[in-house]
Amino acid sequence: MTKPFHWVLVAAGTAASPAFATQYLSAEQAQALMFPEATAFRRQDLTLTTAQMQQVEKLAGVAARSVNWRVVAALKSDATIGYVVLDDVIGKFELISYAVGLNPDGSVRQVEILNYRESHGAEIRNPAWRRQFVGKRAQGGIAVGEGIANISGATLSCTHVTDGVRRIAAIGQAVLAR
Amino acid sequence: MIRRAQPLLGTLVEVTLASDENPQAFAAAFAEVALIHRLMSFHDGDSDVSRFNRTPVGTLIKVDAHTWEVLALADRIAVASDGCFNVACAPALVEWHYLPPPSPDAPRYVPKQRVYELGQKGLVRKTASSWIDLGGIAKGYAVDAAITALKRLGVSHACVNAGGDLRVIGEAPWYVAVRHPLRPGMPGASVSLRNEALATSGIYFTVTQLGQHGDVSPLVDGRSGRPVIAPRSASVLAPSCTLADALTKVVTACQGVQHPCLATFGATAFLI
């Protein structure tokens, strides 16, 4: 036997919609992490045409979902060395903001989660509630309680993020690749 | 504390470091998890698992040393747990729509059946028509691989958490909240950890009704091939996350913490 370990049963609270949340990186931090060699970043948002939307759907095997995409070009001495695409996905209980770094040929360079927010109440479907977390700067906290920094539990699937990365990879290939 | 997360192993994998003094640490930890994901994914057609699943019975195939290690430990746990844990339960998970069919032959799950035989390191022979899924052990193994990479870099205080299966480095305690299975947005217990691993399994995110099958979940009781439907979650504390992850399946199947294989592997457990 190993040494006995310490665990304490916690009484469930009475909050209406308790939530776990973590902020990992700001969009700016993610950009710098993905393209450390970049000398500048330039916002270069995309609006997909109907033909591009169809192409993205065909390549990704998932719905293109949105016409407008938040894209930042990574520059080195005026040359584009890649892109960062910013997106949010909503699961059954979770809102996840993430960034996908793309190489100039459209291939995926890196994926980083920016922000994770979970709710077991009704607000996860409420656009106003969701908006307050989009693009929020990292503060490095977790709303679990003093000193608690990790959660153990049944695995929460992140299919929405995986589909989202596939969609952005298709946008990279169909629209951004050179 | 500095935290980063990436989508890997079908969930979010989170790495927490005490400081950013070693800039290679995050990249090294995530690279290990990504490697294990590539080798052991059920969904990726090029993984060792997929190649095994497509291979005809009797064939000897070469797998990565990591995959071989996991298969060896899975075999030991299957025997020690009287078949509660069995990586050959993938046909049941396919039947219940949790996994896509990897080949058209549709094998049935046979409780306690051993479907592979290990040869020399890196070699494995398929001995029965079946599919394997390492989803009940590979997350833990990936956490251990990431922890090993961090230790190699001299990191002395860190946590790697793959969707609820986690391991910590450090003598100073790490406090971990365990989700309450009936109110998953709330902590049901808190645990302090030092240089050890904790994994939890429960059905609360994944239980569903499936026509003639009734309620199903992705946790299979290997002894019967039936889904675990009991609402309590099982948490296992063990020296490694591979063990903790796999042994949660034994505790969920038994809905008890008395199975002797826990002590065999130096683990303890609790249900909430």
Side-chain angles (χ1 to χ4, degrees):
Chain A
M1 288 288 286
T2 51
K3 60 187 183 295
F5 70 100
H6 175 71
W7 71 279
V8 179
L9 201 64
V10 177
T14 52
S17 340
F20 292 122
T22 314
Q23 289 156 11
Y24 298 99
L25 295 167
S26 66
E28 292 77 15
Q29 287 170 326
Q31 289 161 20
L33 200 65
M34 290 173 173
F35 294 98
E37 70 275 40
T39 48
F41 292 93
R42 187 176 62 215
R43 193 73 185 247
Q44 194 178 308
D45 289 354
L46 258 186
T47 302
L48 301 183
T49 64
T50 308
Q52 286 171 332
M53 297 263 292
Q54 286 166 351
Q55 206 182 345
V56 166
E57 284 179 14
K58 199 174 158 198
L59 282 171
V62 292
R65 207 194 64 193
S66 180
V67 173
N68 298 308
W69 289 86
R70 286 175 289 151
V71 180
V72 177
L75 306 171
K76 189 181 179 185
S77 312
D78 291 336
T80 301
I81 55 168
Y83 302 93
V84 178
V85 182
L86 303 164
D87 190 28
D88 312 296
V89 286
I90 309 160
K92 203 169 167 188
F93 313 107
E94 71 284 10
L95 167 66
I96 299 174
S97 302
Y98 65 106
V100 180
L102 298 171
N103 292 311
D105 67 358
S107 58
V108 174
R109 180 182 179 120
Q110 195 169 337
V111 182
E112 290 289 337
I113 305 298
L114 304 182
N115 198 312
Y116 174 93
R117 181 138 316 234
E118 185 179 298
S119 169
H120 297 261
E123 72 265 23
I124 195 85
R125 304 272 154 207
N126 177 342
W129 182 84
R130 295 200 306 262
R131 261 198 309 276
Q132 66 182 310
F133 306 112
V134 174
K136 194 169 175 181
R137 290 193 66 87
Q139 285 152 10
I142 185 163
V144 181
E146 275 304 300
I148 293 219
N150 271 283
I151 306 159
S152 182
T155 309
L156 195 60
S157 153
C158 73
T159 316
H160 293 84
V161 181
T162 315
D163 286 349
V165 172
R166 195 177 302 135
R167 185 181 292 120
I168 289 170
I171 292 172
Q173 215 179 317
V175 186
L176 295 169
R178 278 180 291 125
Chain B
M1 291 294 160
I2 304 166
R3 312 160 76 84
R4 294 253 307 270
Q6 293 187 3
L8 289 162
L9 307 166
T11 188
L12 290 194
V13 176
E14 191 180 56
V15 176
T16 308
L17 300 176
S19 74
D20 59 356
E21 67 195 32
N22 191 332
Q24 304 306 315
F26 280 116
F30 283 121
E32 285 297 308
V33 177
L35 170 67
I36 305 308
H37 175 125
R38 269 200 309 282
L39 294 171
M40 302 182 202
S41 164
F42 192 88
H43 301 269
D44 178 349
D46 296 328
S47 72
D48 284 346
V49 166
S50 292
R51 289 193 302 111
F52 176 90
N53 287 338
R54 287 194 308 263
T55 212
V57 177
T59 313
L60 192 67
I61 66 164
K62 192 161 175 21
V63 295
D64 189 273
H66 287 297
T67 312
W68 194 92
E69 286 287 340
V70 170
L71 290 172
L73 186 58
D75 212 18
R76 282 178 56 207
I77 298 171
V79 172
S81 71
D82 310 307
C84 286
F85 178 84
N86 191 343
V87 296
C89 63
L93 298 174
V94 171
E95 194 180 346
W96 304 333
H97 302 182
Y98 286 107
L99 293 174
S103 61
D105 51 330
R108 303 285 300 180
Y109 173 62
V110 180
K112 293 199 175 186
Q113 187 180 41
R114 293 166 85 167
V115 304
Y116 60 84
E117 217 173 64
L118 293 171
Q120 285 178 335
K121 190 136 188 169
L123 293 174
V124 54
R125 187 184 302 280
K126 189 165 180 173
T127 56
S129 170
S130 190
W131 297 322
I132 58 165
D133 169 39
L134 300 182
I137 186 168
K139 267 196 291 296
Y141 187 84
V143 168
D144 287 336
I147 288 285
T148 303
L150 292 173
K151 283 184 174 172
R152 211 181 291 134
L153 290 170
V155 172
S156 58
H157 198 63
C159 177
V160 179
N161 186 349
D165 297 346
L166 57 93
R167 180 168 165 186
V168 303
I169 307 175
E171 282 303 327
W174 286 85
Y175 293 98
V176 177
V178 181
R179 289 182 189 274
H180 195 291
L182 301 180
R183 300 191 65 191
M186 298 292 297
S190 76
V191 182
S192 62
L193 303 178
R194 289 176 181 82
N195 291 314
E196 53 208 335
L198 177 75
T200 300
S201 283
I203 61 164
Y204 43 85
F205 288 137
T206 43
V207 66
T208 184
Q209 274 207 322
L210 187 69
Q212 63 184 58
H213 298 288
D215 284 344
V216 292
S217 86
L219 298 178
V220 184
D221 182 342
R223 297 168 299 183
S224 63
R226 297 296 308 148
V228 173
I229 300 300
R232 291 200 292 175
S233 71
S235 297
V236 173
L237 182 113
S240 81
C241 201
T242 316
L243 283 170
D245 187 9
L247 293 173
T248 59
K249 281 62 185 189
V250 179
V251 179
T252 51
C254 300
Q255 285 292 298
V257 298
Q258 304 306 325
H259 199 292
C261 80
L262 291 169
T264 304
F265 292 109
T268 44
F270 60 93
L271 289 157
I272 304 177

